[in-house]
Amino acid sequence: MVITGLPHPLANMAIDPSADELEPCAKALGASGCPSMLVFTTHDATAFEAEVTRFGFSEPSKTPAMAVDLAELNQTAMPDGYTFHRLMPHQDARPWMRAAEESFQVPYAVCEILCSFEGESEGRPDDDVQFFMAMCEDEVVAVSALVLADGVAGMYCVGTLPDHRGKGLGAHLTAEPLRLARNLGYRVGVLQASKLGYPVYERLGFRTVASMRIATRMP
């Protein structure tokens, strides 16, 4: 559980509280007075997750968890006028975070939490956490993050500025990092899909394999 006091559910959340932890977590999040959420990723939680409504949270809604065999990942390309880059540890991360802020409509401070190089080395191909971006001239217009853990390649924080959507940037910023992971020997890519991103990921070859349930509280 993390409670930052920032005005967004991503900044005040608990992930997979047990049946015994649910009530104290929900009460602590509610006492913060901030938008917050409870996230359930395990099937064990289905027996008690509906209880969150007692504490002012919405009924948990399902978010698709998707996976793809990286050998079957469909091809993508950067559209004309855009370039693909990896954000390296020595580079200024603020343009990446500003693009994430506008893409996801979250507070900038939340993006600072998401874009952390903690534990990363000098930009090796096998770093556990890697950040990518698409640029149009000198502006970062789309972002994504690759997390290599537990033998799978996870994609996170895929977002595009509104004026640059519909051009395939999100698809390429999802697929290209996964191709880099495949070169390292990874066989499976995973992600959680928003409603906006779901059809993009389906076209790339992702299929729904499970669901993550999210309950929100918006005071």
Side-chain angles (χ1 to χ4, degrees):
M1 182 169 66
V2 60
I3 300 175
T4 68
L6 294 168
H8 196 278
L10 276 174
N12 310 282
M13 63 188 297
I15 300 176
D16 284 334
S18 67
D20 293 335
E21 294 166 337
L22 179 62
E23 182 168 347
C25 282
K27 287 184 175 180
L29 291 167
S32 73
C34 298
S36 55
M37 66 184 186
L38 292 159
V39 180
F40 303 95
T41 68
T42 66
H43 290 294
D44 296 340
T46 55
F48 62 84
E49 64 182 22
E51 296 179 21
V52 299
T53 57
R54 292 195 294 120
F55 308 105
F57 287 81
S58 66
E59 187 81 20
S61 59
K62 290 185 177 181
T63 297
M66 307 183 79
V68 64
D69 182 335
L70 296 183
E72 299 176 1
L73 189 67
N74 290 326
Q75 290 299 311
T76 59
M78 287 293 283
D80 292 341
Y82 297 88
T83 54
F84 174 84
H85 304 270
R86 178 180 171 186
L87 178 67
M88 303 302 281
H90 63 273
Q91 290 180 280
D92 183 2
R94 287 174 294 183
W96 190 101
M97 291 185 285
R98 284 193 294 268
E101 176 188 27
E102 185 174 347
S103 297
F104 309 130
Q105 293 295 295
V106 299
Y108 183 82
V110 173
C111 299
E112 289 184 298
I113 297 170
L114 295 174
C115 184
S116 170
F117 281 107
E118 182 179 355
E120 184 163 338
S121 68
E122 296 303 313
R124 297 195 315 264
D126 61 346
D127 285 333
D128 293 343
V129 181
Q130 302 176 31
F131 299 94
F132 299 89
M133 54 193 176
M135 298 189 68
C136 181
E137 297 180 351
D138 295 326
E139 181 186 13
V140 177
V141 298
V143 296
S144 67
L146 170 69
V147 178
L148 302 175
D150 297 324
V152 297
M155 290 305 304
Y156 298 88
C157 304
V158 180
T160 304
L161 299 187
D163 289 346
H164 298 268
R165 290 174 183 166
K167 300 180 180 181
L169 293 173
H172 192 71
L173 262 70
T174 300
E176 188 62 19
L178 290 176
R179 282 189 277 268
L180 298 175
R182 185 188 177 196
N183 292 339
L184 296 171
Y186 288 82
R187 297 177 55 193
V188 176
V190 297
L191 52 76
Q192 294 91 42
S194 65
K195 183 181 292 186
L196 188 65
Y198 188 87
V200 175
Y201 304 134
E202 267 200 323
R203 289 193 294 270
L204 289 175
F206 280 87
R207 295 293 177 264
T208 300
V209 295
S211 63
M212 180 173 72
R213 279 89 60 211
I214 300 176
T216 56
R217 182 180 183 275
M218 302 296 287

